[in-house]
Amino acid sequence: MIGERASNEMKTPAGRKAGGRAAAPLRTSVKIRLADGSETDCRAGVHLAREAHLHTVFRNIPFSEDKAKAIFDKAIDQPERFGLIYAVPGAEGPLAEDGLLGFASVHADEHFLGTGTLIATVQTLNISQNLSGTLLGGKVALRLVRAVRHWAKERGCTHLLVHVTNGENAADADSFFRRCGMVTVGGNYAATLNCLEI
């Protein structure tokens, strides 16, 4: 899983997607690994985090590069509690700033009222917008979910929670996570608050 090189190559249709974006390459090998602590890994993670932020319900809140870097640093400094799992092209060499295919950020902690048991919580699971709606994008997402499960099991977590706040295709996300064997245990609810309304 994590750190294991993909042995099979994943295919997507060639050509252009709706909206004018080029489709993913016809053949792309994918490697799933933990962020390695390098400056190139950090830059690539921040780049994809910024892109993903623009597609959440919180896109009107200014993106903080410092906070994105802090998440990266926690994953490097405290790997037993914080995981930053990358999906990268299988080719060797430094990761380009826009080279991430996807990533997941997960942390392990006790339930806020319980003790003695760890729960893994996925804060974000993002796929590059270049892969959105493609077969390769779906396969990258599935590989990231498998890697998150593996990461959580290695740390003795008893549950895995995923929060979805993209706001653009919540129904698709719900369908995807159900196909991954997950069930809903509640939901994310949001309201925009304006202090003048009080």
Side-chain angles (χ1 to χ4, degrees):
M1 295 262 191
I2 298 172
E4 180 183 318
R5 183 184 285 278
S7 61
N8 56 349
E9 295 189 18
M10 298 172 199
K11 302 175 185 178
T12 60
R16 296 216 165 256
K17 292 181 48 172
R21 287 197 309 258
L26 184 60
R27 294 179 68 83
T28 301
S29 63
V30 177
K31 180 179 175 182
I32 302 293
R33 64 170 175 81
L34 294 173
D36 66 13
S38 67
E39 182 62 29
T40 54
D41 261 25
C42 184
R43 278 198 307 269
V46 169
H47 178 85
L48 185 53
R50 179 181 287 112
E51 176 187 278
H53 180 72
L54 295 174
H55 298 277
T56 71
V57 296
F58 305 111
R59 59 186 162 265
N60 61 323
I61 299 172
F63 176 80
S64 170
E65 187 169 314
D66 290 338
K67 286 186 175 181
K69 287 180 178 177
I71 292 168
F72 181 86
D73 290 341
K74 279 185 184 179
I76 301 307
D77 297 339
Q78 303 172 59
E80 285 308 306
R81 287 298 178 103
F82 296 92
L84 193 54
I85 303 168
Y86 280 5
V88 299
E92 296 297 328
L95 187 60
E97 182 173 350
D98 63 350
L100 270 182
L101 304 176
F103 74 83
S105 174
V106 58
H107 77 270
D109 207 346
E110 291 184 336
H111 183 269
F112 78 107
L113 291 176
T115 185
T117 300
L118 292 177
I119 295 173
T121 303
V122 177
Q123 295 298 331
T124 187
L125 190 149
N126 296 295
I127 306 304
S128 169
Q129 286 299 302
N130 291 333
L131 302 181
S132 180
T134 68
L135 179 61
L136 178 59
K139 289 184 178 181
V140 167
L142 283 171
R143 300 254 338 255
L144 284 171
V145 168
R146 284 191 209 115
V148 165
R149 284 180 186 266
H150 179 75
W151 184 93
K153 284 180 181 179
E154 280 190 330
R155 282 148 186 82
C157 296
T158 60
H159 293 80
L160 175 63
L161 299 176
V162 179
H163 299 286
V164 177
T165 57
N166 60 10
E168 291 186 347
N169 56 352
D172 291 342
D174 177 68
S175 176
F176 170 76
F177 287 114
R178 285 177 185 273
R179 284 195 314 271
C180 291
M182 299 182 187
V183 297
T184 57
V185 294
N188 292 316
Y189 301 91
T192 303
L193 304 177
N194 181 339
C195 61
L196 299 177
E197 295 174 352
I198 298 175

